[in-house]
Amino acid sequence: MKTQLKPLAEQVIVITGASSGIGLTTARMAAERGARLVLVARNGEALETIAGDLRALGAEVIHVVADVGKEDEVRAAARTAIEHFGGFDTWVNNAGVSIFGRNEEVSREDQRRLFDTNFWGVVHGSLVAVEHLKTKGGALINLGSELSDTAVPLQGMYSASKHAVKGFTDSLRIELMEEGAPVSVTLIKPAAIDTMFVPHAKNYMDVEPKLPPPIYAPDLVANAILEAAQTPHRDIYVGAASKLTSSTAHHAPAVLDALMKRLMFKQQRSQTPAGDRDDNSLYAPVPGRDGRERQGHKGIVFETAPYTSATLHPKTTAVALGAGLALLALWQSRSRPRRGFGMAR
């Protein structure tokens, strides 16, 4: 069954992890485009402020305080959306957190907690969303990562959770296809993004962590999410770096391992001594860190992603490329000296 998705202005969208980063950027962008929103996160104070700001701009927004690692709280969020708006059309599983440190150093308790959010949060959200979406159609959008297809040292559990998200998402998609359910299932795979990812993470290292380049703007991920809410896509790589990493992992895994060994320890370690290890959002939100889209990376942040734009809009890209080549050919023909037919000199 072909899935028909509504324009954003006709949709109700549920976004988990909506209090900062990609979730917050997506909420603001969706509100600008006329969607009605259900914002879900653990930080009720931040959600209330965000919802109020969006309402002041004319958006219809409600918020629900919930920990996605707890299925009953996720179900309560879905019920609230149905009671208030009559249902929802797109569900975005975005909530996530990381831990920096060697696998042997990270406590099992912390590892399990990360999986509660990153993996079980996606499972809870997906299965609750699908119960509703199968009856009316819509989109399920899960946030994976470039690390869904490979792994990095010092973020072993995060890498493992994103592998698990990919496996679950792909399996669920096939089952829904077999049923003929009118549900589009998309896995978004961003490269490193300038969000509050690092400040939220728990750190076991002796220095503060940092993201390895290249780093992209969260707006690019939000745009990909909203594209998937309107047009079915299987996978969306945000940033050419994400696609390159995935392709290298598939075709030359040993080469990528060697590069990771050489580069990724250094590129994830800053020169700043580590702060308090308990100052993180793994178990509970930290005041002052929500309500922000970006950390404010001091280096280059790519605000455009031509590769992603080309994959999302291949026909438009082909037309633009063709027009560009035609103009180039015209310019070359006019600038090239004409040969005459007179006598040779």
Side-chain angles (χ1 to χ4, degrees):
M1 178 183 294
K2 186 175 181 180
T3 304
Q4 297 293 329
L5 303 178
K6 299 177 182 178
L8 285 180
E10 299 175 14
Q11 288 202 32
V12 174
I13 302 178
V14 181
I15 305 172
T16 72
S19 59
S20 70
I22 291 169
L24 176 55
T25 306
T26 303
R28 288 172 172 163
M29 190 178 292
E32 290 174 359
R33 300 181 187 181
R36 292 170 288 170
L37 301 174
V38 181
L39 307 182
V40 182
R42 297 175 299 176
N43 191 332
E45 183 177 349
L47 286 178
E48 189 171 352
T49 299
I50 294 164
D53 291 344
L54 293 177
R55 290 191 197 102
L57 298 175
E60 291 186 61
V61 185
I62 63 171
H63 69 276
V64 182
V65 178
D67 183 336
V68 296
K70 300 176 181 178
E71 184 176 3
D72 59 335
E73 295 187 12
V74 176
R75 288 193 174 277
R79 284 196 302 271
T80 301
I82 294 169
E83 291 167 1
H84 188 89
F85 288 120
F88 51 85
D89 305 284
T90 295
W91 184 292
V92 183
N93 286 310
N94 164 73
V97 68
S98 191
I99 300 172
F100 287 86
R102 291 178 176 268
N103 288 302
E104 294 174 288
E105 298 173 345
V106 178
S107 74
R108 301 300 175 268
E109 181 183 11
D110 286 351
Q111 292 175 348
R112 292 189 178 95
R113 175 57 186 174
L114 181 147
F115 255 77
D116 283 343
T117 300
N118 291 15
F119 175 67
W120 286 108
V122 170
V123 173
H124 297 156
S126 296
L127 297 181
V128 167
V130 162
E131 289 179 12
H132 178 73
L133 294 175
K134 285 201 295 187
T135 66
K136 57 177 295 185
L140 172 66
I141 302 171
N142 291 341
L143 267 291
S145 166
E146 61 183 341
L147 302 184
S148 294
D149 298 325
T150 186
V152 293
L154 303 179
Q155 289 193 77
M157 281 299 108
Y158 182 81
S159 300
S161 72
K162 292 303 182 179
H163 275 63
V165 165
K166 178 184 184 300
F168 169 77
T169 302
D170 290 349
S171 174
L172 179 61
R173 181 189 299 109
I174 296 168
E175 291 174 357
L176 292 171
M177 289 170 59
E178 191 274 337
E179 292 179 33
V183 183
S184 169
V185 179
T186 302
L187 183 65
I188 309 287
K189 299 178 181 179
I193 306 296
D194 181 24
T195 66
M196 297 300 289
F197 181 90
V198 171
H200 284 313
K202 186 164 185 177
N203 179 33
Y204 277 76
M205 300 189 299
D206 59 348
V207 295
E208 286 296 304
K210 65 177 183 177
L211 290 176
I215 296 174
Y216 296 84
D219 307 65
L220 301 174
V221 188
N223 187 64
I225 290 170
L226 297 183
E227 166 65 21
Q230 301 173 90
T231 305
H233 292 270
R234 186 184 190 278
D235 300 286
I236 300 177
Y237 294 87
V238 180
S242 177
K243 180 60 176 178
L244 177 61
T245 299
S246 176
S247 297
T248 306
H250 180 74
H251 295 289
V255 172
L256 187 59
D257 286 349
L259 287 172
M260 291 288 185
K261 173 189 171 184
R262 181 177 180 181
L263 300 174
M264 282 299 146
F265 289 92
K266 180 184 299 184
Q267 291 188 350
Q268 294 183 90
R269 292 172 56 87
S270 73
Q271 299 298 316
T272 305
D276 184 356
R277 181 175 293 180
D278 293 329
D279 186 19
N280 62 79
S281 303
L282 183 61
Y283 291 91
V286 176
R289 291 189 183 163
D290 286 319
R292 294 174 56 186
E293 295 181 14
R294 304 192 186 198
Q295 179 184 4
H297 179 67
K298 295 180 181 179
I300 296 173
V301 175
F302 291 94
E303 302 290 338
T304 61
Y307 169 81
T308 303
S309 297
T311 58
L312 293 179
H313 308 288
K315 292 183 179 179
T316 302
T317 302
V319 170
L321 180 60
L325 291 173
L327 288 172
L328 177 61
L330 179 62
W331 178 82
Q332 288 179 331
S333 67
R334 289 184 174 182
S335 61
R336 186 183 301 121
R338 295 184 179 182
R339 294 182 179 180
F341 293 95
M343 294 178 59
R345 298 182 179 180

